[in-house]
Amino acid sequence: GMREPDLHSLFETYGSVRECKLILDRETGQRKGFGFVKMADKKSAKAAIENLDGHQVGGKRIKVANAKGGKRKKSRQKSNSSR
């Protein structure tokens, strides 16, 4: 499977990579099948998305997109009063 250095190498083709992280299951330590890559600038990020989204890596098609969110505010759950 893919390791963080592999992920870094794949993305640095399109610009400077600030950070990359593959997400692991807390209990098993196994990879969960996704990760995050932080590019140095928007131009590099756009190039990576355009070139790598849908790309085959290790026999699997990968999805590359901007991460949603960033810093999130705590959201309060609204109670449904119509019950």
Side-chain angles (χ1 to χ4, degrees):
M2 181 165 283
R3 297 179 345 236
E4 286 179 9
D6 304 324
L7 187 64
H8 191 279
S9 294
L10 181 65
F11 277 78
E12 75 180 348
T13 303
Y14 304 99
S16 181
V17 174
R18 280 198 186 150
E19 182 180 350
C20 69
K21 178 122 181 102
L22 291 173
I23 305 305
L24 304 177
D25 183 282
R26 289 182 192 179
E27 293 178 20
T28 66
Q30 298 293 316
R31 289 189 232 24
K32 292 187 87 171
F34 68 97
F36 296 94
V37 176
K38 188 171 192 175
M39 302 297 285
D41 55 63
K42 289 181 182 182
K43 182 179 176 184
S44 299
K46 185 177 181 192
I49 291 167
E50 289 174 354
N51 288 282
L52 293 174
D53 188 37
H55 188 78
Q56 288 274 106
V57 178
K60 294 184 180 181
R61 192 170 304 277
I62 62 170
K63 170 118 180 91
V64 181
N66 276 318
K68 303 224 183 329
K71 290 186 179 181
R72 298 183 195 183
K73 294 181 181 177
K74 286 186 178 179
S75 61
R76 294 183 186 166
Q77 286 191 316
K78 294 181 180 178
S79 61
N80 189 346
S81 59
S82 63
R83 286 186 180 181

